[in-house]
Amino acid sequence: MKTKTYLKAGFREIRQSKGRFIAIILIVMLGTLLYVGVKTAGPVMQKTMDHYVDRLELSDLQIISTGGLTEEDVAQSEKIPDAKVETGKQFYYANTSKNEVVQVFSYNKVDKQNQLEVVEGTLPEKENQIVLDEKARNKGYQIGRSYQIDSSDLKEKEYQITGFVRSPLFINNLERGATNVGNGRVDYFVYLPEANFQTKLYSVLYLDFSNVDGLNTYSKAYQDKMEKNQANAEKMMKNRPQQRLDQLKRSAEEALEPAKQEITTGKAQLADAKNQLTSAKEQLAQQETAIQQLPEAQRTNAANQLEQQKQQLTDQETQLTEKEKELNDAEKEVAENEEKARTLSKPSYLYNQRSENVGFQEFGDLADRIAAIANVFPVFFFFIAALITFTTMTRMVEENRREIGTLKALGYTKLEIAQKYAIYASLASGIGIILGTILGTNLLPRIIFELSNERYDIGKAIIFYDWPPIIQAAAAFFIAAFGAAMLVLFKDLRERPAALLQPKAPKPGKRIVLEYITPLWSRLSFNQKISYRNLFRYKSRMFMAIVGIAGCAGLMVAGVGLKDSLSSVSSKQFGPIVDYQAIVTFEPEESGKEKTASVLEKEEKVTDKLAVETQQLEIRKKGHAKQSLTMIVPEQTRRLASFVHLKDENGQSIALPEKGIAITQKTAELFHLEKGETISLYDEDQKEWKGEISEILENYLGNFVYMSPAYYQEIADKKMADNAYLVQTKSMTRTQEESLSKELLASGSMTNTSFVSKQIETQEESMANLDSVVLIFVVLSGLLAFIVLYNLTNINISERVRELSTIKVLGFFDKEVTMYIVRENIIFTILGIIGGFGVGYVLTDFILQQASMENVVFPLVITWGAYVLSAGLTILFTVIVMIVTHFKLKHIHMIDALKSNE
């Protein structure tokens, strides 16, 4: 019976201290919500993508050859372990009249991999039907209308549009990749029946591996399996480049054979014709002699006839000469083609995993960045929430010393006394954990995903409960609440009832540091002196308040600082380092360079240009995954400084070294490289170059390697062959950029134009995906700061209610009583804000290190706005708490408070 009564008293305690109970619930809920929500966001994004690519059967590996793929390639690839193989044909088509670049794919309804998702309309059923990328709708194309592709790669030119689709080969709905035709940027893709393609060669082999079924597409297990699968594929296909080269040479020779026979026949006929012409000339000479002996009357007619015959022979001789020239030209062309056939290089076989698909790795990187942030930011938030929960529960138990002493004197056991506090702590933490888990799992990942999904049309978020962070949050908060209560309770229960029934002796007053500074101390008012003495008298209270406020202010600084840092990548890269506005690549022939230069020189917006050789190299080192680098070799070494401002890791400007290579800092960091070290670089033909590192460069976006023409020739064993211009221009609009691309395309020499403005736009759009996460951090951090301030102030008042009642009885006015507490809060707030600035700086730096990527370096940039927002919100919350505190102190029942010890 007494237990039942005691339990009722326990629930009465909850009713009587609703503010504190609700505060604990809210703190636990916020901590759990952010920790579980952000921790779950990354896995939810990966799970959703995994579901999407599984549903549409995205291929695991693509094999592409620069020499085309044959039935022999298909047969060989089918021997790869665990692989199912499908073929595809594709090409890029530049529509110069519309300045559009389209990637044309073959469609085969029996194929299982890379299924198209119909957005509107239907898939092709007839050979003259075509489906377009959903992006094409924005260009005015409609179902039922005709669509033209004027290309020799196809049998027909005109098709009927039957629908708009999505393809798992293109995850990012804003980007369709780059190409070496047209303006260099694919606008959209189309699919049409494979029977329309002229060529018998395949463009790509799609491989699906059964040994990765059921694995998360972004998991390490999947990546490890795919590395082995790719190694198996490369091993199985290792002889194909040479075999394909031999086949191409034979085909070229066979194609030349009819021409050679025709030339041989033509030469024989030409020789016969020359002999006949010689005979005819001899006969004419004999006739001319005979005519001289004819009578004069007959001689004139005969001479005229002879002249006509001579003219005919002259015409025949001219024709034979032209024929001989044609045969010689044909023979020369055949010889040149024979030479080309003999010097054909091995086709390159490229192996592209899912990460090469447009947007796929970008989405994975976004999920990884969120997961990296989740390893730091929510944990710190979580720590602050748990600390405040611990403090609140500790002080609650300390306030009930007399009740505990009374119960112990009445014969209640320790376990019976502990029930009340166990229930209180369990209910408060349990409700907070449950609410935080439900809201965190169902709210934050969904918000983050939906805001990110503006760029990725992969369906609805697949929400699930991720148990590891839930269990971690539940355990930590349960320990913070229940453990704190039990720790203080059992410490008090070791005392005798008589000691517990007496109020705890207040801490003795001591002289504080300020008192020794007489000029300052003498100028303080009585109330100010009391406040400062109380601060140092109750150091644990001061410490907890400052830590709590500093933590919340730091979280807000870090939240905004993250946004500042992530969005500053472009401004740090383009301008301070990269100082050109476009890269224009052209055909390797000299005429390609000249034509491109001619177009650029006529454009008034173009101010300067520098010829360079650029290509993609791979860096390899044992124990590290290979990485792609963009090589730039300037034609004129000294002029490079005007286009690329090379800086060392300390930000000091340097010149391009004549000997050795200069690589960017992220590559050096990933491969643990230092100056003086020799590394292996592999060109597009997989030829190994050995280069010594002379400089490590500051760089924020992409991975580059720079070298002089002389050093290029030394390590590549060939002279540089410039294939691009770095172009500087005045400010150009998007329309002007497209116009310049169109002019370059029309020249027939340009293969690709890439504007820096597009790179900046893409980078900023990518970083904008994290804005939602940052906003959530700032809002929840602010809310936690408000609850922390309110809770600590309530605890402060409840602990000192007799003290406050005493000064009210002594005649202090309400405002003076309020300032008695608020003055301390102001000091806590100021110190907390200052400490929060430092915490925010360190926290931002640590998060950026965790969120770093293989091709991006995030600079630490925190603008003054972050500090102003953090300080402003914290001060605002202090003012609100001060107003609430004022009204609460006005209604303190002084007599009850002063008689509480009785």
Side-chain angles (χ1 to χ4, degrees):
M1 183 65 182
K2 69 176 184 178
T3 302
K4 185 177 180 181
T5 303
Y6 179 55
L7 289 176
K8 286 183 179 179
F11 286 106
R12 190 181 298 116
E13 175 77 22
I14 293 174
R15 289 198 303 273
Q16 291 174 348
S17 60
K18 291 189 292 290
R20 177 167 54 199
F21 187 76
I22 292 172
I24 295 173
I25 290 175
L26 289 176
I27 291 172
V28 173
M29 183 192 76
L30 283 176
T32 306
L33 184 150
L34 188 64
Y35 184 77
V36 172
V38 179
K39 276 280 193 180
T40 305
V44 162
M45 293 178 71
Q46 292 182 347
K47 181 78 171 178
T48 305
M49 177 62 77
D50 191 57
H51 175 77
Y52 176 76
V53 298
D54 281 350
R55 179 168 59 85
L56 297 183
E57 300 286 351
L58 177 63
S59 56
D60 296 303
L61 184 70
Q62 297 179 24
I63 301 177
I64 300 172
S65 171
T66 54
L69 295 159
T70 65
E71 292 295 342
E72 289 86 347
D73 290 302
V74 177
Q76 193 66 18
S77 64
E78 287 175 342
K79 298 176 183 178
I80 299 171
D82 303 306
K84 295 178 182 177
V85 183
E86 291 181 2
T87 60
K89 298 177 182 179
Q90 62 185 54
F91 65 89
Y92 293 102
Y93 168 67
N95 187 331
T96 54
S97 63
K98 296 184 177 181
N99 193 25
E100 292 178 355
V101 178
V102 183
Q103 190 167 3
V104 182
F105 289 90
S106 62
Y107 170 73
N108 192 332
K109 61 183 178 181
V110 300
D111 287 343
K112 301 296 182 185
Q113 298 182 45
N114 307 314
Q115 294 289 308
L116 297 177
E117 185 174 33
V118 178
V119 177
E120 182 184 354
T122 60
L123 293 172
E125 293 291 339
K126 300 177 181 178
E127 289 188 9
N128 68 336
Q129 294 180 340
I130 191 172
V131 289
L132 277 60
D133 180 0
E134 63 175 334
K135 279 193 70 178
R137 289 190 296 186
N138 300 329
K139 296 182 176 290
Y141 295 108
Q142 298 177 10
I143 293 176
R145 298 284 181 87
S146 64
Y147 185 91
Q148 288 191 341
I149 302 178
D150 189 4
S151 171
S152 59
D153 292 303
L154 298 177
K155 296 177 181 177
E156 303 292 337
K157 294 183 179 180
E158 190 165 323
Y159 301 87
Q160 183 185 28
I161 301 172
T162 62
F164 296 97
V165 297
R166 293 176 189 151
S167 169
L169 296 174
F170 300 89
I171 302 300
N172 187 330
N173 62 15
L174 300 181
E175 293 292 322
R176 291 296 179 256
T179 179
N180 59 357
V181 302
N183 56 26
R185 185 179 66 254
V186 179
D187 293 289
Y188 57 91
F189 60 81
V190 302
Y191 277 79
L192 51 88
E194 187 175 317
N196 283 288
F197 284 72
Q198 294 276 19
T199 180
K200 294 181 179 179
L201 294 175
Y202 300 111
S203 307
V204 59
L205 299 179
Y206 298 111
L207 276 67
D208 177 67
F209 289 91
S210 58
N211 62 350
V212 294
D213 289 346
L215 295 179
N216 184 317
T217 188
Y218 288 111
S219 68
K220 189 175 185 304
Y222 175 87
Q223 293 168 3
D224 290 344
K225 284 275 189 183
M226 282 307 303
E227 287 298 324
K228 293 179 180 177
N229 288 338
Q230 182 172 332
N232 289 337
E234 291 176 359
K235 182 179 179 181
M236 193 62 65
M237 305 289 285
K238 68 178 180 180
N239 295 325
R240 285 301 301 152
Q242 183 61 50
Q243 293 171 356
R244 181 64 179 141
L245 175 61
D246 295 340
Q247 188 179 30
L248 288 171
K249 286 183 176 181
R250 285 196 303 272
S251 298
E253 290 171 359
E254 290 171 1
L256 291 173
E257 196 59 37
K260 290 167 72 176
Q261 292 178 358
E262 186 176 341
I263 291 171
T264 301
T265 303
K267 283 190 171 184
Q269 293 173 346
L270 181 64
D272 291 342
K274 282 184 175 181
N275 291 333
Q276 292 175 9
L277 183 63
T278 302
S279 299
K281 283 183 177 180
E282 291 175 353
Q283 291 176 5
L284 284 178
Q286 294 173 1
Q287 290 179 16
E288 189 172 13
T289 303
I291 288 172
Q292 297 300 325
Q293 300 173 2
L294 292 174
E296 185 174 351
Q298 295 178 358
R299 190 187 308 162
T300 303
N301 291 333
N304 290 336
Q305 291 177 359
L306 183 64
E307 287 298 324
Q308 290 176 0
Q309 290 176 358
K310 282 184 177 181
Q311 184 61 44
Q312 288 176 356
L313 289 178
T314 302
D315 292 342
Q316 289 177 14
E317 189 174 23
T318 302
Q319 291 175 0
L320 290 177
T321 303
E322 291 176 354
K323 181 66 175 178
E324 185 176 26
K325 184 177 182 302
E326 288 177 3
L327 288 172
N328 289 335
D329 289 343
E331 189 174 33
K332 183 180 178 182
E333 184 178 353
V334 168
E336 288 175 352
N337 288 332
E338 281 184 320
E339 182 60 30
K340 286 181 180 179
R342 283 192 291 271
T343 60
L344 281 173
S345 59
K346 285 183 185 179
S348 297
Y349 278 65
L350 308 176
Y351 301 85
N352 298 330
Q353 295 188 30
R354 287 179 174 179
S355 58
E356 301 295 327
N357 290 348
V358 177
F360 182 88
Q361 192 57 45
E362 181 185 285
F363 185 89
D365 290 340
L366 174 61
D368 287 342
R369 287 198 295 271
I370 292 173
I373 293 172
N375 289 332
V376 184
F377 197 106
V379 173
F380 190 77
F381 186 103
F382 185 78
F383 168 75
I384 296 299
L387 189 64
I388 300 303
T389 302
F390 187 91
T391 303
T392 305
M393 290 302 304
T394 299
R395 292 182 177 178
M396 186 198 101
V397 176
E398 288 178 346
E399 288 176 12
N400 291 340
R401 278 176 55 86
R402 294 180 67 248
E403 179 186 293
I404 293 168
T406 302
L407 293 170
K408 192 172 181 182
L410 291 173
Y412 282 79
T413 65
K414 292 181 180 180
L415 290 177
E416 288 174 334
I417 296 172
Q419 285 180 9
K420 170 184 173 180
Y421 301 97
I423 292 171
Y424 192 99
S426 299
L427 277 175
S429 59
I431 293 171
I433 290 167
I434 292 170
L435 290 175
T437 298
I438 293 172
L439 292 175
T441 300
N442 291 280
L443 194 60
L444 293 192
R446 202 182 301 276
I447 291 172
I448 293 169
F449 178 82
E450 290 300 329
L451 291 174
S452 302
N453 201 36
E454 292 177 3
R455 291 169 59 85
Y456 310 98
D457 288 329
I458 58 175
K460 297 291 184 182
I462 307 297
I463 301 297
F464 63 96
Y465 287 92
D466 194 11
W467 290 108
I470 293 173
I471 292 170
Q472 292 164 6
F477 276 118
F478 186 76
I479 291 171
F482 185 85
M486 296 301 106
L487 184 68
V488 178
L489 177 64
F490 283 98
K491 179 184 176 183
D492 287 346
L493 286 173
R494 285 198 295 269
E495 298 184 36
R496 290 180 300 171
L500 291 170
L501 289 169
Q502 293 296 321
K504 201 170 186 179
K507 289 187 177 182
K510 295 180 182 178
R511 295 190 73 185
I512 63 174
V513 177
L514 290 178
E515 292 188 51
Y516 294 98
I517 309 174
T518 305
L520 175 62
W521 185 255
S522 62
R523 285 172 170 77
L524 297 177
S525 67
F526 174 73
N527 289 338
Q528 290 172 332
K529 289 178 179 178
I530 292 175
S531 295
Y532 290 125
R533 279 177 175 159
N534 282 335
L535 286 175
F536 287 94
R537 187 180 182 189
Y538 301 103
K539 294 184 182 65
S540 62
R541 179 195 299 156
M542 177 178 69
F543 175 76
M544 289 303 303
I546 293 174
V547 168
I549 294 168
C552 296
L555 285 168
M556 286 187 279
V557 170
V560 182
L562 274 176
K563 186 180 186 317
D564 293 338
S565 299
L566 296 176
S567 61
S568 67
V569 173
S570 295
S571 61
K572 288 281 187 179
Q573 178 74 11
F574 300 106
I577 297 176
V578 172
D579 199 8
Y580 53 86
Q581 286 66 52
I583 300 179
V584 180
T585 56
F586 46 77
E587 297 290 351
E589 292 82 5
E590 187 63 29
S591 60
K593 180 179 179 181
E594 291 175 355
K595 289 178 182 178
T596 303
S598 175
V599 174
L600 292 174
E601 287 165 3
K602 290 177 183 176
E603 174 56 56
E604 61 178 14
K605 289 284 186 178
V606 174
T607 58
D608 202 359
K609 64 183 185 300
L610 174 65
V612 298
E613 179 178 349
T614 180
Q615 65 169 291
Q616 292 300 116
L617 303 181
E618 277 187 357
I619 178 173
R620 300 176 189 171
K621 188 177 181 182
K622 191 174 181 181
H624 296 268
K626 61 186 179 183
Q627 189 182 55
S628 179
L629 303 174
T630 300
M631 181 198 75
I632 293 181
V633 181
E635 185 180 51
Q636 298 169 293
T637 304
R638 292 182 179 179
R639 291 193 62 216
L640 180 66
S642 301
F643 293 80
V644 181
H645 307 308
L646 302 182
K647 302 176 183 179
D648 62 20
E649 292 179 285
N650 298 317
Q652 300 298 315
S653 296
I654 59 173
L656 179 65
E658 285 296 331
K659 295 283 290 182
I661 62 173
I663 62 170
T664 44
Q665 62 190 73
K666 195 61 183 182
T667 302
E669 178 187 322
L670 290 172
F671 287 80
H672 307 292
L673 303 175
E674 296 180 356
K675 289 184 182 180
E677 189 172 343
T678 300
I679 60 173
S680 293
L681 299 172
Y682 294 82
D683 66 8
E684 293 170 340
D685 297 323
Q686 300 304 303
K687 181 182 177 183
E688 183 180 12
W689 302 352
K690 292 282 189 178
E692 181 180 337
I693 300 173
S694 293
E695 295 289 348
I696 296 176
L697 306 174
E698 177 185 355
N699 196 73
Y700 296 94
L701 188 61
N703 295 298
F704 295 85
V705 56
Y706 299 89
M707 65 186 82
S708 67
Y711 194 69
Y712 173 88
Q713 184 171 355
E714 181 181 329
I715 66 173
D717 197 26
K718 60 181 178 181
K719 288 186 178 181
M720 71 160 288
D722 45 11
N723 60 354
Y725 279 118
L726 304 183
V727 181
Q728 290 180 330
T729 69
K730 298 176 183 177
S731 178
M732 299 178 72
T733 64
R734 178 57 59 83
T735 302
Q736 289 172 330
E737 290 179 350
E738 290 179 354
S739 175
L740 177 57
S741 294
K742 195 171 182 178
E743 289 180 30
L744 289 165
L745 177 63
S747 71
S749 61
M750 181 271 292
T751 59
N752 184 31
T753 302
S754 176
F755 285 96
V756 167
S757 61
K758 184 61 181 177
Q759 297 179 47
I760 295 174
E761 181 184 325
T762 302
Q763 177 64 21
E764 289 177 349
E765 286 173 351
S766 176
M767 292 302 105
N769 287 324
L770 290 176
D771 285 353
S772 57
V773 182
V774 171
L775 178 62
I776 290 167
F777 287 163
V778 173
V779 171
L780 292 182
S781 298
L783 187 56
L784 180 65
F786 177 75
I787 296 172
V788 165
L789 276 167
Y790 182 79
N791 196 41
L792 290 175
T793 302
N794 271 348
I795 292 172
N796 198 6
I797 292 172
S798 63
E799 284 183 338
R800 302 167 66 183
V801 66
R802 295 186 75 253
E803 179 186 346
L804 295 169
S805 298
T806 300
I807 64 173
K808 286 191 78 172
V809 169
L810 291 174
F812 280 64
F813 294 112
D814 288 336
K815 289 183 180 179
E816 292 175 317
V817 175
T818 299
M819 287 306 298
Y820 192 80
I821 295 293
V822 168
R823 192 177 291 110
E824 297 175 16
N825 282 3
I826 292 173
I827 296 171
F828 294 155
T829 301
I830 293 172
L831 293 176
I833 289 172
I834 295 171
F837 289 168
V839 169
Y841 185 90
V842 173
L843 189 59
T844 305
D845 185 40
F846 187 66
I847 293 172
L848 290 174
Q849 292 178 26
Q850 296 298 309
S852 65
M853 301 164 58
E854 288 188 352
N855 61 345
V856 181
V857 173
F858 296 117
L860 178 57
V861 177
I862 304 178
T863 61
W864 61 267
Y867 298 109
V868 170
L869 177 66
S870 174
L873 286 177
T874 305
I875 292 170
L876 174 64
F877 298 149
T878 301
V879 171
I880 295 172
V881 169
M882 180 175 65
I883 295 171
V884 174
T885 300
H886 177 69
F887 286 101
K888 190 168 186 178
L889 291 175
K890 284 178 65 175
H891 296 92
I892 287 180
H893 200 290
M894 292 177 287
I895 304 300
D896 288 351
L898 290 171
K899 293 173 63 179
S900 60
N901 281 345
E902 301 175 10

